[in-house]
Amino acid sequence: MSNPIYSLQVDLPCSGIDRSYPIIIGHGVLSDSERFAALLGDSPVVLVSNDTVAPLYMSRVRDALGQGRKVTEVILPDGEDQKHLMSADQIWQKALEYHHERRSVFIALGGGVIGDLTGYSAACFLRGVDFIQLPTTLLAQVDSSVGGKTGVNHPLGKNMIGAFHQPRAVLIDLDSLQTLPDREFAAGIAEIIKYGCIWDPDFYHWLLEHSDALLTRNNEVLAEAIQRSCAIKADVVAQDEREGGLRAILNFGHTFAHAIEHVMGYGVWLHGEAVACGMVMAAQISATRGHVSEEMVIGLKRFLETFGLPVEPPSTMSAEVFLDAMAGDKKVVRGKIRYVLLEKLGDACLVDNVTIDEIAQTLAK
Ligand code: NAD
Ligand code: GLY
């Protein structure tokens, strides 16, 4: 088994069976046949990917899974617009045709779309089979592959159909980032800086100090940024797996982001791009309320801009348009829109009293 650079654990409350799982971060992880053998035993596998990632990485995973194992491959078209029930049905169809059983393990090879879709398919297949995440985008490595939120989009809303279903393991191969387009890479950076903002001011400052190294995808710095992000997410998820409270802070910037994605049309702005802009808006409101300094907001903007991330919302979106779009979000609780603001750098709070004037003021900045 290859030595990972980092190995951490998502500790979950144990109700009869231990559902804790490892996150492995290193090079050559997708080709590590010994690790797959240790995780899978002789279980059959349903290996799901898309037509962008499969030509790049499917063969090394297939080889690592070993000759003697039943492996059924499902390759879906690329795109957020494929994250719907019919794609899940394609996975179920193939798994049934090839007589997969409860001990079969689904494996997601790709970004957040494939991870969410495969996880959801696994949660429902035969009332639930295990799955493993092999995230290949930076965003999936630091966010979507960890924590067990799985699901698909519905015509009436993004991620509206889903299940909490924790993976058996998350295996992060740093090598896969070499082929990731710059825009997708930057989208992942936005989620990384989110963790600094809401949880760890030292990490936030460390990221600012290492922005040049991150920009050039320096392996060592990137590995540490991924590890620290995963550790924060694991910590939050361990304390509040089903988003009864604390976990909602992971949605910092997301209330505004989902409105931008919804109004602009999914895929026009990448999720991480919308999150970057949404974080600036939330930080600005926090600054106006006196919780963080204006300098913090300026620093955040500068950092995000270094990566080519947008920090201004679309000029067509007024405060009314934002409110209208946010009203349909999952983050509405008892009719009130819930926002994540900063109490101070590294400390987030949930509020439902952001006014239309505060949003308008932020847009005018
Ligand atoms: P994605 O899965 O669409 O991947 C982005 C693009 O990169 C795609 O074209 C993909 O084919 C391509 N790609 C993936 N890996 C590559 C590689 N190594 N080299 C080259 N190209 C590669 O998008 P994403 O940003 O990874 O994930 C976004 C999705 O994740 C959304 O559907 C969002 O709702 C979901 N999400 C889920 C959670 C969660 O907690 N479950 C959290 C955040 C986001
Ligand atoms: N991405 C937010 C969460 O996992 O809760």
Side-chain angles (χ1 to χ4, degrees), residues 80-81 83 113 139 153 157-159 183-184 187 191 251-278 281 310 313-314 317 321-322 325-326 329-331:
E80 179 72 37
D81 59 352
K83 195 176 140 182
V113 168
L139 183 140
N153 300 329
K158 189 165 150 59
N159 293 331
R183 218 179 137 197
E184 298 292 349
E191 296 283 2
N251 292 325
F252 177 58
H254 284 58
T255 311
F256 297 117
H258 285 169
I260 294 171
E261 288 178 274
H262 178 72
V263 169
M264 301 307 284
Y266 291 106
V268 177
W269 283 49
L270 297 182
H271 177 67
E273 292 173 338
V275 167
C277 183
M281 291 179 71
M317 287 186 70
V321 172
F322 265 102
M326 292 185 300
D329 203 275
K330 280 202 296 313
K331 287 177 281 303

Side-chain angles (χ1 to χ4, degrees), residues 50-53 56-57 78-80 83 110-116 133 135-141 143-151 153 158-159 175-181 184 187-188 191 194 233 247 254 258 261 270-272:
N50 72 23
D51 54 13
T52 301
V53 177
L56 296 169
Y57 300 110
D78 192 0
E80 179 72 37
K83 195 176 140 182
V113 168
I114 288 296
D116 281 11
Q133 291 272 21
T136 60
T137 63
L138 185 57
L139 183 140
Q141 295 180 351
D143 188 359
S144 62
S145 65
V146 177
K149 278 190 184 173
T150 73
N153 300 329
K158 189 165 150 59
N159 293 331
D175 299 340
S176 66
L177 295 178
Q178 281 168 12
T179 54
L180 195 64
E184 298 292 349
E191 296 283 2
K194 174 189 80 178
K233 180 141 190 193
R247 185 168 178 167
H254 284 58
H258 285 169
E261 288 178 274
L270 297 182
H271 177 67

Side-chain angles (χ1 to χ4, degrees), residues 7-260:
S7 164
L8 49 156
Q9 181 87 0
V10 183
D11 288 316
L12 294 169
C14 177
S15 48
I17 43 167
D18 184 10
R19 297 174 306 119
S20 301
Y21 55 91
I23 302 172
I24 303 295
I25 303 166
H27 293 285
V29 174
L30 293 180
S31 321
D32 191 342
S33 48
E34 283 178 48
R35 189 174 305 281
F36 281 115
L39 280 166
L40 291 166
D42 64 353
S43 294
V45 160
V46 177
L47 177 58
V48 184
S49 192
N50 72 23
D51 54 13
T52 301
V53 177
L56 296 169
Y57 300 110
M58 193 81 140
S59 64
R60 64 181 81 170
V61 177
R62 190 188 304 123
D63 291 350
L65 288 172
Q67 292 288 327
R69 184 187 310 280
K70 177 163 103 176
V71 179
T72 305
E73 293 178 8
V74 184
I75 299 176
L76 298 164
D78 192 0
E80 179 72 37
D81 59 352
Q82 300 298 317
K83 195 176 140 182
H84 48 56
L85 261 188
M86 291 315 293
S87 301
D89 189 56
Q90 266 178 269
I91 299 172
W92 294 325
Q93 176 82 27
K94 199 118 183 235
L96 289 168
E97 275 170 16
Y98 283 83
H99 305 291
H100 278 276
E101 42 184 289
R102 276 235 169 92
R103 66 187 190 94
S104 295
V105 176
F106 286 21
I107 298 184
L109 172 67
V113 168
I114 288 296
D116 281 11
L117 185 56
T118 307
Y120 180 65
S121 306
C124 299
F125 186 69
L126 306 179
R127 299 200 178 88
V129 296
D130 281 0
F131 83 114
I132 290 174
Q133 291 272 21
L134 307 180
T136 60
T137 63
L138 185 57
L139 183 140
Q141 295 180 351
V142 298
D143 188 359
S144 62
S145 65
V146 177
K149 278 190 184 173
T150 73
V152 295
N153 300 329
H154 185 275
L156 294 183
K158 189 165 150 59
N159 293 331
M160 284 295 174
I161 308 299
F164 285 98
H165 189 53
Q166 300 290 344
R168 187 185 281 188
V170 179
L171 309 182
I172 296 174
D173 194 331
L174 298 164
D175 299 340
S176 66
L177 295 178
Q178 281 168 12
T179 54
L180 195 64
D182 286 344
R183 218 179 137 197
E184 298 292 349
F185 182 79
I189 292 285
E191 296 283 2
I192 291 177
I193 199 152
K194 174 189 80 178
Y195 293 114
C197 290
I198 61 167
W199 198 257
D200 184 348
D202 290 344
F203 183 39
Y204 180 83
H205 292 300
W206 181 88
L207 287 166
L208 295 190
E209 279 158 28
H210 290 86
S211 60
D212 286 347
L214 287 168
L215 205 52
T216 54
R217 305 193 192 188
N218 173 290
N219 266 321
E220 216 176 299
V221 171
L222 209 43
E224 182 169 345
I226 293 169
Q227 184 270 337
R228 290 175 80 165
S229 300
C230 287
I232 294 170
K233 180 141 190 193
D235 199 355
V236 172
V237 169
Q239 292 181 52
D240 179 21
E241 185 184 354
R242 296 204 165 218
E243 203 166 302
L246 177 72
R247 185 168 178 167
I249 66 168
L250 296 174
N251 292 325
F252 177 58
H254 284 58
T255 311
F256 297 117
H258 285 169
I260 294 171

